[in-house]
């Protein structure tokens, strides 16, 4: 009751859809500091809140305000989305033209982050939200942070194994920006095929599979230029893998 009363006083109403206004809808992410894991509350949450206050980009979810209600509860009021890439993939692959438009928006957002020395480190389909008109909104900065220099983050494993770069899985020093680029390659593969490029059921064997060229099922048509671009992103060696600036240049001049 305390929560609802405070939010009502600020113009919000809890429900499936929260705070619908004249021009947009908002979603509220609820964090209970008392029940959340210690590492999340004291390490990952502060990082996420710091980054959310810093970033401003059309393709990154915008946070309207942070509300502390009662004791230990934090409400993050942000723009709402209708779905995410993961749910889209459960239905089918995305047509190549639409995939290129969406992927270009993802690259634009990550390019913005890297230009500001911010790394996401958990890029995956679930963290790519889509609005009603299929506009991309990157979200979930729990593993994000400011990257002061390679290989500063070399000892930190984070993210999802299915989207993790081989150097991260192998536990060797890594460039977090090149990690983000690898994850984008996996996302693009999923977008145009509707399936994952690698079997992540055995994480120890995953780097061996990542050394090999991506395989495309016979019943999935992916044009050769797109296959070559995915291979360009999924370079096993980080030194051969492009930077996000190079990816952006390639996309917007092709």
């Amino acid at each position: 009751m305390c929560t609802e009363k405070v939010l009502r006083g600020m113009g919000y109403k809890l429900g499936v859809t929260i705070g619908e206004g004249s021009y947009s809808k908002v979603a509220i992410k609820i964090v209970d500091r008392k029940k959340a894991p210690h590492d999340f509350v004291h390490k990952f949450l502060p990082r996420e809140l710091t980054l959310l206050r810093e970033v401003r980009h059309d393709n990154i979810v915008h946070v309207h305000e942070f509300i502390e209600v009662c004791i230990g509860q934090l409400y993050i009021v942000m723009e709402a989305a209708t779905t995410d890439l993961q749910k889209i993939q459960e239905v089918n692959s995305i047509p190549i033209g639409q995939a290129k438009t969406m992927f270009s928006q993802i690259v634009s957002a990550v390019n913005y982050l890297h230009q500001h020395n911010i790394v996401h480190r958990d890029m995956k389909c679930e963290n790519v939200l889509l609005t009603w008109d299929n506009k991309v909104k990157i979200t979930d900065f729990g593993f994000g942070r400011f990257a002061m220099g390679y290989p500063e983050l070399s000892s930190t494993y984070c993210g999802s194994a299915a989207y993790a770069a081989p150097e991260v899985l192998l536990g060797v020093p890594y460039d977090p920006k090149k990690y983000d680029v690898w994850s984008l390659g996996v996302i693009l593969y999923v977008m145009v095929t509707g399936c994952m490029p690698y079997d992540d059921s055995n994480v120890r064997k995953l780097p061996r599979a990542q050394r090999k060229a991506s395989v495309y099922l016979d019943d999935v048509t992916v044009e050769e230029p797109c296959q070559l671009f995915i291979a360009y992103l999924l370079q096993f060696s980080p030194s051969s893998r492009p930077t996000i600036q190079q990816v952006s240049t390639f996309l917007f001049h092709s």
Side-chain angles (χ1 to χ4, degrees):
M1 288 301 294
C2 170
T3 295
E4 291 190 24
K5 186 180 295 184
V6 171
L7 291 175
R8 275 202 306 269
M10 301 186 73
Y12 300 108
K13 179 181 178 182
L14 287 177
V16 177
T17 299
I18 308 172
E20 183 173 348
S22 301
Y23 300 100
S24 64
K25 295 179 181 179
V26 299
I28 298 182
K29 179 177 179 178
I30 305 171
V31 178
D32 190 329
R33 297 180 190 271
K34 291 182 178 180
K35 296 180 180 179
H38 182 273
D39 274 359
F40 172 77
V41 171
H42 296 280
K43 183 178 180 180
F44 297 110
L45 180 61
R47 286 181 184 172
E48 182 172 17
L49 298 183
T50 298
L51 294 179
L52 288 174
R53 289 186 177 99
E54 292 284 335
V55 297
R56 289 289 184 276
H57 189 277
D58 284 347
N59 299 117
I60 297 175
V61 68
H62 177 66
V63 174
H64 298 289
E65 57 185 320
F66 302 91
I67 305 171
E68 292 277 359
V69 291
C70 303
I71 299 175
Q73 293 222 321
L74 171 67
Y75 284 68
I76 306 173
V77 183
M78 62 185 74
E79 60 183 326
T82 57
T83 187
D84 60 54
L85 278 183
Q86 178 66 25
K87 291 172 184 171
I88 292 289
Q89 294 311 312
E90 290 172 359
V91 178
N92 209 338
S93 59
I94 299 173
I96 188 66
Q98 185 180 7
K100 182 176 180 179
T101 299
M102 289 180 177
F103 191 71
S104 296
Q105 293 177 25
I106 297 171
V107 169
S108 177
V110 175
N111 190 24
Y112 165 86
L113 293 173
H114 287 193
Q115 286 179 349
H116 288 79
N117 273 327
I118 298 171
V119 287
H120 191 284
R121 299 194 300 170
D122 196 20
M123 289 298 304
K124 56 185 178 181
C125 289
E126 297 93 319
N127 289 339
V128 179
L129 305 182
L130 298 172
T131 61
W132 63 271
D133 56 350
N134 285 330
K135 186 175 182 179
V136 163
K137 298 287 182 178
I138 303 300
T139 191
D140 197 345
F141 285 83
F143 288 119
R145 62 163 294 173
F146 291 98
M148 300 309 293
Y150 166 73
E152 180 200 5
L153 309 176
S154 61
S155 62
T156 307
Y157 172 76
C158 54
S160 303
Y163 294 85
E167 62 270 20
V168 176
L169 297 173
L170 291 170
V172 298
Y174 69 88
D175 178 342
K177 292 182 179 180
K178 292 292 186 77
Y179 175 10
D180 279 349
V181 171
W182 174 278
S183 300
L184 294 189
V186 177
I187 289 173
L188 181 57
Y189 182 98
V190 176
M191 289 174 73
V192 297
T193 66
C195 57
M196 297 297 298
Y198 309 107
D199 178 7
D200 65 332
S201 58
N202 189 325
V203 176
R204 286 189 299 178
K205 292 182 178 180
L206 190 51
R208 190 184 311 166
Q210 292 171 326
R211 281 186 180 274
K212 302 175 183 177
S214 299
V215 176
Y216 295 86
L217 300 177
D218 292 337
D219 60 344
V220 176
T221 302
V222 180
E223 297 175 358
E224 185 178 4
C226 185
Q227 291 190 27
L228 292 174
F229 183 58
I230 291 172
Y232 176 61
L233 299 174
L234 296 179
Q235 295 278 350
F236 187 88
S237 170
S239 61
S240 301
R241 201 177 307 149
T243 64
I244 194 64
Q245 290 88 354
Q246 290 171 324
V247 174
S248 180
T249 299
F250 182 92
L251 264 182
F252 293 106
H253 290 84
S254 62

